[in-house]
Amino acid sequence: MARYPNFELVTAPIEEPVTLAEAKEHCTVEHAEHDDMITRMIAAARRHIESQYGLALVTQTHKATVDAFPESGLKLRPYPVAELESVEVWTGSAFTAQSLSTYLLVKGRPAAAYLTDGVPAPLPARTRAGVVVTFTAGFGDDSTEMPEDIKQACLLLVAHWYANREASISSKTGFGVSAELTRGVSDLLAPYRSPRLI
């Protein structure tokens, strides 16, 4: 039996944590010539932060797949988990998905899905990927719901990439981000960092 669940993005966010107007103001750009480029940088900043810090910034849908439902609850990522959409167990010789209704979400870092007390966890009919939990994660639907320090971290990245459009070997830590900028972004996002799933 696999020890850790497999996590997969199902539906990507349709908005970004900062708007084009906010990014242009931060970069002191008044013309529209670079709008497409800045828009791409905003999306890249979100993806960078999400991958590096285990976060979901804007509302998105994920699923966790595990061999069987853990008795101690299924810990979920990325953070923050907003809502459980479904818990399904593959049962029967035809391996059909049976939806469960006796589950609950305990929010936190990390969040965890639990079966209701007194309800035994059904055993999946297949030995691999027998349980699928679908959930939504994110701080909100758009930039108006983002915490200000998260927005600032995104803006720092966008401004850095806008001003430095070619990779440089000196003091770079990967993904075109300097060591100094990495520390600044990390300090802003420290309150939101999730612990490792054990």
Side-chain angles (χ1 to χ4, degrees), residues 50-79:
E50 289 178 337
S51 66
Q52 294 295 310
Y53 296 91
L55 297 173
L57 301 190
V58 193
T59 300
Q60 50 199 263
T61 306
H62 293 256
K63 70 177 179 181
T65 304
V66 69
D67 295 342
F69 204 98
E71 293 183 6
S72 59
L74 179 58
K75 293 180 174 59
L76 303 173
R77 68 178 184 207
Y79 170 81

Side-chain angles (χ1 to χ4, degrees), residues 73-108:
L74 179 58
K75 293 180 174 59
L76 303 173
R77 68 178 184 207
Y79 170 81
V81 175
E83 181 181 9
L84 289 179
E85 292 191 1
S86 66
V87 177
E88 297 176 307
V89 179
W90 291 89
T91 60
S93 58
F95 296 135
T96 56
Q98 172 189 348
S99 295
L100 303 182
S101 58
T102 54
Y103 58 82
L104 59 89
L105 170 67
V106 176
K107 296 184 178 182

Side-chain angles (χ1 to χ4, degrees), residues 128-147:
R128 298 297 183 202
V131 176
V132 179
V133 177
T134 304
F135 60 97
T136 56
F139 290 91
D141 293 336
D142 55 39
S143 63
T144 63
E145 299 182 74
M146 289 301 104

Side-chain angles (χ1 to χ4, degrees), residues 150-168:
I150 288 178
K151 294 181 71 168
Q152 184 63 25
C154 289
L155 292 171
L156 285 176
L157 287 169
V158 172
H160 176 78
W161 290 332
Y162 185 78
N164 303 276
R165 298 178 207 173
E166 294 184 4
S168 172

